[in-house]
Amino acid sequence: MTEQNRYVLGESAGEHSRLRDQSVVFDPLTRQLHSEAGIAAGMSVLDIGTGAGDVAVIAADLVGPDGHVLAVDRDRTALDGARSRLGHRPEIEFAEADLGSLDLDRQFDAIVGRAVLMHLRSPVEVLERLARHLHPGGLLVMHELDLSHDWASADTPLLERVRELVLQAFDSLGIHSRMGRDLFAGFRAAGLPDPHLTVSAPVGGGAEAPSFGWVNALAALLPYLEGQGIVNGDELGIDSLTQRLTDELDAEDATLLGPVMYGAYCTVA
């Protein structure tokens, strides 16, 4: 991504580790979306903004040894880490690429991406560019978050503080916190066929409440929030926040909903 289309959560080893932790929550939802969309054995797939490579692994599992996945990212460090971690998967190839000027001189049977468009200044332009990299009849499959819903069945002080900080940071950084529900409009604006839509989310109560997912997101935003003088990390107690948040919600018999994930997919003529 260009400076206008940058991943603002950083490109440190810590961020790459956070993304791998995040994948534990999101991977089952993305796998279900890819299967429903029709990604299958023998296909060639482009995975955009691959980061730690978790979505590439999902695609590779579905296309099998006769298929191929090209996983691209602008972050060389992330790609080096993904290559090291996934070097035993010969069906996955990694390459450095900028989504703002993507021109791979090749086409694919499917293009996938998770939580990528939300970080772009011009997601519609990127969708238009991606469509040109598909074979006729190819699949475009995007998976994006929406954070605008009520997070829990009961409002608690700690959850409200976490929500306030996450949404404030997203807004200040220009991250589209409602990208998921805007996917349908984005596909149309890019001249694509109306996409099929899905929605899913991690959910639970008590010990199964997905508190970690929200704390994981806040941890990524903490350096920015501290730099802006909005919050002090020591006072927030990020290391114990997951357990404290879970305990607070449990005391209210609350159900906690993780980030809602919208899937959108279509076949491009």
Side-chain angles (χ1 to χ4, degrees), residues 1-8 11 48-51 72-75 96-102 115-121 126:
M1 286 168 268
T2 64
E3 184 61 23
Q4 289 72 37
N5 286 325
R6 67 196 189 284
Y7 182 68
V8 295
E11 298 175 348
I48 63 168
T50 193
V72 301
D73 203 288
R74 68 179 292 275
D75 179 4
E96 184 178 351
D98 187 323
L99 295 183
S101 57
L102 188 68
V116 175
L117 299 179
M118 65 190 299
H119 295 283
L120 306 181
R121 297 286 178 86
V126 171

Side-chain angles (χ1 to χ4, degrees), residues 56-69:
V57 170
I58 294 171
D61 288 345
L62 292 173
V63 303
D66 294 328
H68 178 260
V69 178

Side-chain angles (χ1 to χ4, degrees), residues 6 26 30 44 48 50 82-83 112 129 152 155 158 193 202 232 259 264:
R6 67 196 189 284
F26 291 147
T30 300
S44 61
I48 63 168
T50 193
R83 287 190 187 99
V112 302
R129 186 171 293 109
D155 294 329
L158 193 54
N232 181 292

Side-chain angles (χ1 to χ4, degrees), residues 65-118:
D66 294 328
H68 178 260
V69 178
L70 174 61
V72 301
D73 203 288
R74 68 179 292 275
D75 179 4
R76 294 181 183 179
T77 303
L79 290 172
D80 288 343
R83 287 190 187 99
S84 176
R85 188 168 68 97
L86 300 172
H88 63 288
R89 300 294 299 264
E91 69 274 32
I92 305 177
E93 174 190 0
F94 294 94
E96 184 178 351
D98 187 323
L99 295 183
S101 57
L102 188 68
D103 185 5
L104 299 175
D105 194 29
R106 58 195 285 195
Q107 292 183 314
F108 301 84
D109 298 317
I111 298 177
V112 302
R114 181 173 72 194
V116 175
L117 299 179
M118 65 190 299

